[in-house]
Amino acid sequence: MWNRLRLLWSVTAVRLSVAYTLAFGLLALFLVFYMSGSAVQFLTSQYRDAIEREAAGLQLVYERRGINAMIREMEFRSRGPGASLYVVADKEGNILAGNVRDLDKKILITNGWTRHPFPYDGFGDQTNRKDDERSRAVAVTFSLPDAMQVMVGKDIGDPDRFRNIVRRALGLSMTMMLVAGFLIWFFLGRRALKRIDMVSRSTERIMAGDRAERLPVTGANDEFDRLSARMNNMLDRISTLDSGLRDVSDSIAHDLKTPLTRLRNKVEAALASDPGKREAQDVLNEVIADSDSIIKTFNALLMISRVESGSQVAELNELDLTELVHDVHELYEPVAEEEGVELRLETAPGVKTIGNRELLAQGLTNLLDNSLKYGRPENGNPAVVTLRLESEKGKAVISVSDNGPGIPSEHRDKVRERFHRLDKSRSKPGSGLGLALVEAVAKLHSGTLELGDSEPGLSARLVLPAK
């Protein structure tokens, strides 16, 4: 589950959806708090204006008709709907008259507006309530000439209720918005991730050698379809260029191979019919050897071209590498003995892979050829070449190591390229295509060719997936 969510979070569309949802939520939160606060402030301001008008009216009644008339006016007003709060108290804060049963005496003996809403109890309220359960009000207190204190106030239950309603609505709307945002994020992310998975699978098939595979186009005409269409056009162009290049390479190889083969056949026929002088025979033998070398080079080029184009993919089958390595060792043992090289064999039983026997045998013989040609110690010690097969962490590893001079680390990537040779003088036989072919065979089998140091000498490892 968490891995799936991490994959969803890696999708740009999902991250944008989350960012937009959070931005909208924060803006909505700010607006709701600002509007509710402004509304409460507006209602409180209106209450203050109403309180000031009532206080002025009561003072006017007191000045004209006295204290008793003012108290009667208070009692009359307190019986109306939405009545204000009225209190007449002595200078000690003891309540003498009004519609408030109990409140803090400091409010009654301090003239002016209360700084904060204060709790109070009306005559209809329960006794011994906690402060957070009592009604709250704002009020103004003023003194009369006869040492009386008068308080006029308003219950602020309506603004408080308004604030609570707004905040409850805010909580509900925010919850619904977050749930909706999460659902949009989840389904949008799943859709985007599904499209990306489809593209990934197509690219894996293309990289595996299926040149006819193309990225999926669903017909939705969205950004994924537009991108896939452009990528498909690019793949079509690459395929066209690749086919043209391959055709040109094949044509060159075939056009040169045919006349060279005819040349060799003519020379061989001439030798068979009229040997002539000894020197002529030697020259003709050299011509035949050179022709064989050239034909071998072009055969290697054709083989590399076919392997890299993926034309051999359909011929991959289950293969017993132990048997293959034994066969190659048996084939090269007399050759090594003739060259004065000790060819050792170390194999693990029952090592298998999925591959093409002919191509893997060709790659293995190329590695052995390199070791027999270039793996002789420079100090005159006996040459030893070791052919080894082992199973290593789910991989089948075929290695050929020698005790020769090896290959410097800075050249180990270059020697995999076509026609690259360490022997710049070309004094030793070879075309510089052996390791290039092995590299192509390894890639065809989803493997790698690793060149290392066998201390002394070169260690060439062909690492393949084991079955």
Side-chain angles (χ1 to χ4, degrees), residues 195-196 199 203 214-217 221-235:
R195 295 290 298 275
I196 292 174
V199 172
T203 54
R214 292 296 180 265
L215 302 184
V217 178
N221 199 29
D222 55 7
E223 61 273 16
F224 287 104
D225 274 357
R226 292 193 293 271
L227 178 61
S228 295
R230 290 185 176 89
M231 292 293 290
N232 289 338
N233 291 336
M234 182 184 70
L235 290 171

Side-chain angles (χ1 to χ4, degrees), residues 368-388:
L368 285 173
D369 277 336
N370 278 350
S371 291
L372 293 177
K373 290 176 184 177
Y374 310 112
R376 296 180 179 276
E378 297 177 343
N379 56 11
N381 290 336
V384 178
V385 175
T386 303
L387 174 60
R388 182 181 293 108

Side-chain angles (χ1 to χ4, degrees), residues 98-148:
N99 57 357
V100 175
R101 178 165 56 83
D102 184 42
L103 78 161
D104 189 353
K105 292 183 178 181
K106 291 182 180 179
I107 297 172
L108 296 175
I109 62 177
T110 304
N111 289 342
W113 285 98
T114 55
R115 292 185 178 182
H116 305 287
F118 59 90
Y120 75 95
D121 292 323
F123 286 101
D125 296 332
Q126 296 179 356
T127 59
N128 299 324
R129 292 187 300 170
K130 297 179 180 179
D131 280 349
D132 56 351
E133 297 175 350
R134 300 171 72 188
S135 302
R136 292 184 176 273
V138 291
V140 63
T141 302
F142 57 91
S143 300
L144 296 178
D146 53 2
M148 294 290 185

Side-chain angles (χ1 to χ4, degrees), residues 180-219:
F182 176 80
L183 293 176
I184 293 172
W185 169 54
F186 182 77
F187 288 109
L188 180 63
R190 282 190 64 184
R191 179 177 177 274
L193 189 59
K194 183 178 179 181
R195 295 290 298 275
I196 292 174
D197 287 341
M198 293 168 61
V199 172
S200 298
R201 286 193 294 270
S202 295
T203 54
E204 287 174 0
R205 287 192 287 268
I206 294 171
M207 293 173 63
D210 187 358
R211 303 300 175 88
E213 177 69 18
R214 292 296 180 265
L215 302 184
V217 178
T218 62

Side-chain angles (χ1 to χ4, degrees), residues 282-299:
D282 293 340
V283 171
L284 290 174
N285 285 328
E286 292 176 1
V287 170
I288 291 176
D290 291 342
S291 299
D292 286 340
S293 177
I294 294 173
I295 292 171
K296 185 177 180 180
T297 298
F298 281 107
N299 284 335

Side-chain angles (χ1 to χ4, degrees), residues 370-413:
N370 278 350
S371 291
L372 293 177
K373 290 176 184 177
Y374 310 112
R376 296 180 179 276
E378 297 177 343
N379 56 11
N381 290 336
V384 178
V385 175
T386 303
L387 174 60
R388 182 181 293 108
L389 171 65
E390 55 189 341
S391 181
E392 181 181 298
K393 296 180 180 179
K395 301 289 185 180
V397 181
I398 305 174
S399 63
V400 177
S401 58
D402 57 59
N403 60 343
I407 298 177
S409 58
E410 63 270 17
H411 291 285
R412 288 175 186 166
D413 288 331

